[in-house]
Amino acid sequence: MEISNFNLLLIVSFVTLFLIAIIFRHRRQDKLPNLPPGNLGLPFVGETLDFLAKGWKGCPENFISHRIREYSSEIFKTNLFCQPVVVLSGAAGNKFLFSNENKLVETWWPEFVTKIFPSAVESSPNEEAKKMRKFLPQFLKPEALQKYIGIMDMVTQRHFALEWENKAQVVVFPLAKTYTFELACRLFLSINDSSHIARFSHPFEHITSGIFTIPVDLPGTPFNRAIKASNFIRTEILAIIGQRKKDLAEGKASPNQDILSHMLLRYDDDGQYMSEAEIADKILALLLGGHESTSVACAFIVKFLAELPPIYEGVYKEQIEISKSKTAGELLNWEDIQKMRYSWNVACEVMRLMHHSLCQHIRILNIFLNLKKFDPSRFEGKGPAPYTFIPFGGGPRMCPGNEYARLEILVFMHNLVKRFKFQKLIPDEKTIFSPTPRPEMGLPVRLHPRHA
């Protein structure tokens, strides 16, 4: 069917007005008073393409350092992912941000987030943060997590037995993601069935890629795939919620067995329970946060241990002493974790070098002596100065799962080094950022089993 001249004129007029509106809004934002120096870039996309391009080249810190030099300021404005933002650089910027929540700054969500997490529109970010801080510490504080260390060790042993042992070589990064996701499903939802876990593990890749991209909801775009993936996962979680409510009513599930039961039975100060949709979104977010960043840490720990034999030997010595103190079949416990001081210093140094947080960039790294040298001793004693090392955020924005991440990483390191030495198959493999750091080819390694 041909489009009439009148209809064509309407379409062209609409598109023109839409573009004019975008440009007008863009210019108005750029001229607001009391803004730091900077550039909002192109209309709509801002400077997102430059930011993503530098990430794919393996140097996202250049996006920040270039602008610090250009504007002679550690604070600058830009536009990322179609949102005007101000970047605060260095320890002073971190202190300002983490010390002034609900005073000079407040939490907010970009508009496009509601398409991936629909329940976000039901309450303000501040209300959500308060709600999460109320019930998550009950499950994720160290004293609560102590009873799960044995389960973590059991899941980790099973992972290595199925995915690493009896293999000449493996690709580490996808295995690290499998491991951390399986552990999150086990502890957050009490799911043990590997086929059930596999059914909705892959879509999480689409969500991660889609959140940190240009939010254009058209078929085939990363953002569109992220929306579809979140809808699929949400449907799976809602089915799990329905079954759990039934099991709780029949006494087949425990009120304290995992985060899901805790959410279903927890009510607010007004006696209101969370809706199933709200719980599904929170579980989705927890699964996303509970495996994405720790899988990156685990993969890069393997990378650096393969590159630095003396560091590997230091970790192995510490872990084998713990292993020798255990009886056959005895699982790790809280006391064992407290002995892993050197191993945790190594893990922290890995996170420092890999810019594990977007807030931890070039100017923060400049406060360290020999900043490119791998030196776990930086974290001995009192460790780095306040607000200079923030892989888990800080202040009210401190990640509630930081202790969970520490346990997960240390249990992984224990089971890794007591089983294998390993050698990188691509010595100069590039690191890319999409949006978090990852080895470009997934970090293939050759395994050399240790014999008991």
Side-chain angles (χ1 to χ4, degrees):
M1 178 181 294
E2 293 185 1
I3 300 176
S4 69
N5 289 337
F6 178 72
N7 286 339
L8 182 60
L9 179 62
L10 284 177
I11 293 171
V12 172
S13 299
F14 174 79
V15 172
T16 302
L17 288 172
F18 178 70
L19 292 174
I20 290 173
I22 289 177
I23 294 171
F24 176 77
R25 181 188 178 199
H26 176 78
R27 289 180 175 175
R28 185 177 61 182
Q29 290 171 339
D30 206 14
K31 295 182 182 301
L32 291 173
N34 301 321
L35 288 179
N39 191 335
L40 296 183
L42 298 170
F44 189 64
V45 299
E47 297 188 300
T48 306
L49 298 177
D50 186 31
F51 177 76
L52 292 175
K54 285 182 168 57
W56 277 101
K57 292 177 181 177
C59 52
E61 69 276 11
N62 288 354
F63 178 87
I64 295 172
S65 59
H66 170 77
R67 283 156 179 79
I68 289 174
R69 290 193 301 268
E70 181 179 358
Y71 305 127
S72 300
S73 172
E74 293 194 346
I75 304 175
F76 62 89
K77 66 186 176 187
T78 182
N79 182 314
L80 297 176
F81 309 109
C82 306
Q83 301 291 324
V85 297
V86 170
V87 176
L88 304 176
S89 177
N94 289 331
K95 182 177 181 180
F96 174 84
L97 182 65
F98 296 136
S99 303
N100 287 288
E101 183 165 338
N102 299 323
K103 299 173 186 175
L104 301 176
V105 296
E106 66 178 28
T107 306
W108 65 285
W109 287 317
E111 295 174 6
F112 62 82
V113 168
T114 60
K115 290 192 175 184
I116 297 176
F117 300 98
S119 68
V121 300
E122 297 177 5
S123 58
S124 72
N126 280 331
E127 291 172 351
E128 282 298 299
K130 289 177 182 177
K131 193 179 294 184
M132 294 291 277
R133 284 198 291 266
K134 273 188 177 180
F135 73 79
L136 276 183
Q138 301 300 316
F139 187 86
L140 294 176
K141 59 186 179 182
E143 49 268 41
L145 284 168
Q146 290 183 27
K147 63 181 180 181
Y148 295 104
I149 294 173
I151 297 175
M152 285 184 168
D153 191 19
M154 184 170 58
V155 171
T156 308
Q157 289 184 32
R158 183 176 65 185
H159 167 78
F160 276 99
L162 293 175
E163 306 290 351
W164 294 63
E165 291 179 3
N166 301 314
K167 291 181 173 63
Q169 60 188 57
V170 297
V171 182
V172 175
F173 187 64
L175 288 183
K177 293 185 79 69
T178 299
Y179 160 69
T180 56
F181 188 74
E182 180 180 1
L183 194 56
C185 286
R186 174 65 180 84
L187 294 180
F188 297 172
L189 298 172
S190 298
I191 299 177
N192 295 306
D193 184 0
S194 297
S195 62
H196 192 180
I197 294 172
R199 189 160 65 243
F200 65 110
S201 62
H202 180 67
F204 272 92
E205 279 292 310
H206 292 311
I207 296 179
T208 304
S209 300
I211 288 178
F212 295 99
T213 189
I214 298 173
V216 176
D217 186 10
L218 292 175
T221 63
F223 187 60
N224 179 262
R225 288 195 294 268
I227 294 172
K228 289 181 178 179
S230 69
N231 290 337
F232 173 81
I233 296 168
R234 191 175 297 104
T235 300
E236 291 284 321
I237 295 174
L238 285 170
I240 294 170
I241 290 172
Q243 183 61 48
R244 177 62 59 84
K245 291 176 76 172
K246 181 180 177 182
D247 290 345
L248 286 168
E250 296 175 357
K252 297 179 181 178
S254 164
N256 300 313
Q257 73 182 50
D258 55 28
I259 284 182
L260 177 57
S261 286
H262 191 67
M263 285 184 175
L264 285 169
L265 299 174
R266 180 85 175 185
Y267 52 84
D268 61 23
D269 295 337
D270 298 323
Q272 297 294 315
Y273 292 91
M274 282 190 285
S275 68
E276 291 188 9
E278 190 178 1
I279 292 174
D281 270 356
K282 284 180 171 54
I283 291 291
L284 194 160
L286 285 171
L287 287 173
L288 190 64
H291 91 282
E292 177 64 28
S293 57
T294 49
S295 66
V296 172
C298 289
F300 279 95
I301 284 169
V302 176
K303 171 187 182 295
F304 281 104
L305 291 182
E307 293 173 348
L308 302 167
I311 301 296
Y312 173 93
E313 289 301 326
V315 172
Y316 175 74
K317 180 180 178 181
E318 181 175 79
Q319 296 296 345
I320 205 65
E321 287 300 315
I322 294 171
S323 185
K324 287 178 179 179
S325 70
K326 314 293 289 183
T327 59
E330 184 182 358
L331 298 172
L332 291 172
N333 56 41
W334 182 251
E335 288 70 29
D336 298 324
I337 296 294
Q338 303 316 302
K339 297 175 184 176
M340 301 181 186
R341 295 185 182 91
Y342 181 75
S343 298
W344 182 240
N345 288 347
V346 169
C348 288
E349 181 69 344
V350 169
M351 289 187 280
R352 183 190 72 84
L353 286 169
M354 294 319 304
H355 303 251
H356 210 232
S357 166
L358 283 176
C359 297
Q360 185 173 314
H361 42 68
I362 192 71
R363 282 302 173 104
I364 293 178
L365 293 179
N366 280 346
I367 63 96
F368 292 102
L369 296 175
N370 301 317
L371 64 93
K372 293 185 178 181
K373 179 183 177 182
F374 194 98
D375 183 7
S377 68
R378 304 178 198 275
F379 296 91
E380 293 177 355
K382 294 182 179 180
Y387 300 105
T388 59
F389 177 71
I390 50 169
F392 302 108
R397 293 292 100 207
M398 174 68 76
C399 173
N402 63 321
E403 186 62 23
Y404 169 83
R406 185 176 81 96
L407 298 180
E408 183 176 33
I409 290 168
L410 287 174
V411 172
F412 175 85
M413 293 176 73
H414 174 82
N415 281 278
L416 171 73
V417 299
K418 79 174 188 178
R419 284 173 170 79
F420 303 107
K421 279 191 168 184
F422 31 86
Q423 175 187 358
K424 290 174 63 179
L425 293 176
I426 308 176
D428 57 349
E429 184 175 6
K430 179 181 173 183
T431 296
I432 61 174
F433 290 71
S434 177
T436 52
R438 60 190 62 201
E440 186 175 32
M441 304 305 295
L443 189 59
V445 298
R446 179 173 290 111
L447 298 176
H448 303 284
R450 284 188 173 276
H451 300 287

